[in-house]
Amino acid sequence: MTFSYTQIAQYLRCPRSYRYRYLDGWQEKETRAPLLFGRCFEKALAAFFLREDSAAVLFKEWGAHQDAQLEYSRGDDWERMLRQGVQLLERLAQEDRIRIRNPRRNMQIKLVQSISKENDFISYVDAVGSLDGKRCLLEWKTTTARYPEEPEGLLALDPQIICYSWISGISDAAVVAFVRKRIPEIQYLKTTISDEQRREFGRLVETTIHQVEAGQFHPHSGIRFPRNGCINCAQLGLCLGNRQLIDAKLIRRPGASDLDWLNQLDD
């Protein structure tokens, strides 16, 4: 079986949610504008480093969603997000802090780590290049708010960055955050991941896979007021037995096995 950081993170957040998504075949409908825009912007970034017309690529990719019924964040719309994306690409060119040699090979890099005879772990690293002249892993993020920079060293605790350092063996990493706000901004956040952090993450992966193989899918409720983690979970309707929420947020993967308990939702 093949595992990924997204799978491990979802299991750690809520094992029951993992089962719904990866075993029962319930996938979130792709209606969130920020998520779709982020994918389009990554394609524009690839064009940028390939010395192609990145603004034209962004317009083409994002244009495919112009008439779709998407869920926009407060104050956002299709045109505003496009304009911010173009401004961010222009700022990236002006600041000129990133270099990627042979971008066709060093962007969207597929890395595979064997965990056992039966299991592999796969990651797609956004890029390996240099920031301010120093070689590092590069992770792109699009966001509407600046990433926290204090206290110093905070980025070294990011489990996704630790994962990519573990699977690549590269200790230096950077998050390049494209901040969509009134005046768009790019943050360049650097960190170094230690050997011990990589070893710990490897052990975490092995432990989590063992739990999945043992069928341990206990619910982990995120409801604790005033912070309600379950509210933003796409699988909330499954936990509540709410058919309306299920139909609004989820779609069943073709070929997924039927479950007896699901039939009760039709009563």
Side-chain angles (χ1 to χ4, degrees):
M1 187 171 179
T2 300
F3 291 86
S4 68
Y5 169 76
T6 302
Q7 290 175 253
I8 296 297
Q10 185 152 355
Y11 185 90
L12 294 174
R13 180 176 62 82
C14 178
R16 182 65 52 84
S17 175
Y18 177 96
R19 193 193 81 180
Y20 289 150
R21 171 65 179 86
Y22 293 102
L23 301 184
D24 299 345
W26 289 103
Q27 300 180 16
E28 183 178 2
K29 292 181 178 179
E30 296 188 339
T31 57
R32 290 183 293 158
L35 176 63
L36 293 171
F37 180 82
R39 293 177 184 172
C40 296
F41 192 78
E42 286 195 6
K43 292 181 179 180
L45 285 174
F48 176 89
F49 288 106
L50 288 168
R51 300 186 182 280
E52 298 172 355
D53 189 337
S54 57
V57 170
L58 180 61
F59 181 81
K60 177 184 176 181
E61 297 294 335
W62 185 227
H65 305 287
Q66 186 172 8
D67 298 322
Q69 296 297 314
L70 301 180
E71 300 172 15
Y72 287 93
S73 301
R74 184 177 179 181
D76 270 343
D77 57 37
W78 183 90
E79 186 175 352
R80 183 171 188 264
M81 295 176 76
L82 174 65
R83 184 171 61 253
Q84 290 173 330
V86 172
Q87 290 172 334
L88 285 166
L89 291 170
E90 292 173 348
R91 182 172 289 272
L92 181 65
Q94 292 167 359
E95 296 177 349
D96 194 27
R97 296 176 61 180
I98 298 173
R99 294 284 186 275
I100 299 177
R101 297 183 61 184
N102 196 347
R104 295 190 186 280
R105 185 181 66 187
N106 290 320
M107 294 185 69
Q108 279 299 300
I109 307 166
K110 180 181 178 181
L111 300 174
V112 180
Q113 175 76 37
S114 177
I115 305 301
S116 65
K117 290 182 179 180
E118 297 81 18
N119 299 313
D120 290 328
F121 192 98
I122 186 171
S123 289
Y124 287 88
V125 176
D126 284 342
V128 173
S130 63
L131 173 59
D132 298 330
K134 187 173 184 178
R135 183 175 182 269
C136 62
L137 295 167
L138 294 164
E139 175 70 8
W140 319 128
K141 298 290 186 183
T142 55
T143 176
T144 57
R146 298 184 86 255
Y147 275 47
E149 299 183 52
E150 298 294 339
E152 186 178 353
L154 190 63
L155 184 60
L157 303 181
D158 186 317
Q160 187 175 24
I161 298 301
I162 297 172
C163 170
Y164 292 163
S165 177
W166 164 73
I167 199 168
S168 69
I170 301 173
S171 57
D172 293 313
V175 167
V176 182
F178 296 89
V179 188
R180 296 190 302 104
K181 56 182 185 177
R182 189 176 62 83
I183 301 178
E185 173 189 1
I186 304 177
Q187 287 180 281
Y188 303 88
L189 310 174
K190 306 175 186 179
T191 192
T192 300
I193 305 301
S194 69
D195 291 340
E196 179 58 27
Q197 284 179 291
R198 287 193 286 272
R199 285 192 292 267
E200 287 178 347
F201 187 84
R203 291 192 289 267
L204 175 65
V205 168
E206 292 179 358
T207 299
T208 305
I209 289 175
H210 289 326
Q211 292 172 330
V212 170
E213 292 177 329
Q216 299 180 20
F217 302 112
H218 308 296
H220 180 242
S221 176
I223 292 294
R224 185 176 182 182
F225 294 95
R227 301 188 64 181
N228 309 323
C230 288
I231 298 300
N232 297 319
C233 179
Q235 286 87 17
L236 178 60
L238 294 171
C239 293
L240 296 179
N242 186 318
R243 172 61 70 177
Q244 185 175 358
L245 276 178
I246 293 172
D247 291 342
K249 294 290 185 181
L250 300 173
I251 186 169
R252 196 79 182 277
R253 186 182 69 241
S257 59
D258 292 328
L259 298 177
D260 294 336
W261 64 267
L262 192 60
N263 296 328
Q264 300 174 7
L265 300 183
D266 295 324
D267 293 340

